[in-house]
Amino acid sequence: MVTSLIGAAPSAAAAAVTPALTDAVTAKLLGSAELSAAAARPETRVTVSRTSGRWAFGTAVALAPRQEDAHPTGSIFIARSEPAGWRIAFDGEAAFGALAAESPLTTAQERSVLTTTPAPMYAGGDYRTGMALPFGVGQTWTLTSGPHGWGGTESPYSSVDLAGGDQVVRAARAGAAYTMCQGWIRVIHDRGYSTDYYHLWNSISVNGASVGQGAVLGNTGTDVTCGGAAYGRHVHFGLRQNSAYVPIAGHDIGKWVLNNGAAAYQGGARHGSAWAGAGAGLYNYGALGFNQGVVDANGGGALTRRAGPGTGYGSLGSVADGATVTISCSANGTSHTGRYGTTALWNRLSDGSWVSDAYLSTGVNGPVNGWC
């Protein structure tokens, strides 16, 4: 185990950084679901970046061997000394938000995301992220590897590899950014989500800095300071929710819906009816709004806009496959079958016309902006 201290006054450090703290943080890290079943105990690195009285804040990372199908894992922690010992919570846990709200170590900007109540998981039917792809909007990068595990071939397939363009890696959504270790940045967003970016060269050094969507985090690289392997410059981009890596499939990122393949590193992404597999280019369209959808005509072409919620209403023109539309409200009408099944739901667009939800990709199996 390696323990380090960053940015704390010596007196504060002496009060808070003790073997009991680092041992407690390490034990919690090694007891996580990701590591409890590991065959061998990994080397750990606890970095205390802030202290004040009974409080401590930092990162805990389990280093990985420098080999394929291996990546470091870790968490941001808040700890408070109590009579019974250290009370510790990791990012994404409900207790983390409660401690963040109380701790003198967190800034007002951090609290806006750190105290967010963990949202219902994607299994509740809501796959919206509000994220762009982790590079410049308007650029096309190569999806060098489709969905796979954060550590490689293991489940869940939470991650993809991206390379190309100007090689500048950017935050997929606004949030609070943290350096987990050299070459690895985590950004905590709203709605319980966070994103990880690994193998970076020239990565920024951050300790809770507020970053906007598109903020520069570093450059694609091959950094493996904390373990794993990287062959050719890229960013290893992972999705987390409520303190764990989650399947990236089904989530809309940059107006692409990620899809698994038959095995790790296969699969790809879909924008409207257009498909891009591993090795193809992904154009970053920017973030899909929470009340928006991408037209998926399930084979190309265009989607007819109607004067009301059904095919019995007159045509008001059409909207092209792949176009982004904004939804005002929804109502039931005639049933239609699209890529993801049959539905009677229709959406009223911001221009007053109606389209069947069967031909929209919104990230939600139901209304995204209430009923009309």
Side-chain angles (χ1 to χ4, degrees), residues 218-246:
N219 301 106
T220 59
T222 58
D223 189 280
V224 290
T225 299
C226 286
Y231 305 101
R233 293 181 62 175
H234 69 280
V235 58
H236 183 60
F237 174 73
L239 183 68
R240 294 170 59 89
Q241 189 179 30
N242 300 355
S243 79
Y245 292 105
V246 295

Side-chain angles (χ1 to χ4, degrees), residues 19 80 145 278 361:
R80 183 178 66 188
S145 297
S361 174

Side-chain angles (χ1 to χ4, degrees), residues 318-346:
S318 63
V319 58
D321 184 85
T324 301
V325 296
T326 299
I327 299 167
S328 298
C329 56
S330 301
N332 285 319
T334 54
S335 293
H336 299 274
T337 301
R339 187 180 307 281
Y340 304 105
T342 301
T343 181
L345 189 70
W346 282 67

